[in-house]
Amino acid sequence: MRVAGNGYDLIGKRVADAVLHENGAGGCVTMFAKKLTQGVIAVAKDPVCGMDVEESKAAGTSDYQGTTYYFCSTGCKAAFDREPGRYVLRSGKA
């Protein structure tokens, strides 16, 4: 599992493991937890608003300096595209 280098991968796995332990083998939450622990769900942080975005459901993406950024909305993508350096510096990547 990859979570945009923000440390959530270990936290997410721990939460998913706890959900699996508590809920057994049924339910939507458990299916999400199974996918999360198996590394099926890739999550990135929107560099504009900071929201966690499931990469496969992102409203848009932009490539900047060899890195792909994922966005929760077209508004965040447009803001990033106007001034990518501002958001990359804020997110700690560059």
Side-chain angles (χ1 to χ4, degrees):
M1 181 171 71
R2 181 173 67 77
V3 185
N6 60 15
Y8 286 116
D9 51 349
L10 181 58
I11 294 167
K13 183 170 180 358
R14 286 183 181 161
V15 169
D17 287 344
V19 169
L20 286 172
H21 177 73
E22 291 295 319
N23 291 325
C28 294
V29 172
T30 301
M31 291 308 295
F32 176 80
K34 283 182 181 177
K35 288 180 180 179
L36 188 60
T37 58
Q38 294 167 354
V40 174
I41 299 173
V43 179
K45 189 165 288 292
D46 182 318
V48 176
C49 69
M51 182 176 170
D52 288 334
V53 179
E54 191 173 329
E55 291 180 3
S56 65
K57 295 181 181 179
T61 62
S62 292
D63 291 316
Y64 180 70
Q65 295 182 338
T67 301
T68 301
Y69 294 90
Y70 297 83
F71 303 95
C72 69
S73 69
T74 56
C76 282
K77 179 183 175 358
F80 180 88
D81 288 343
R82 280 191 302 272
E83 256 186 302
R86 172 182 176 192
Y87 298 104
V88 169
L89 293 175
R90 182 177 359 149
S91 69
K93 294 181 181 181

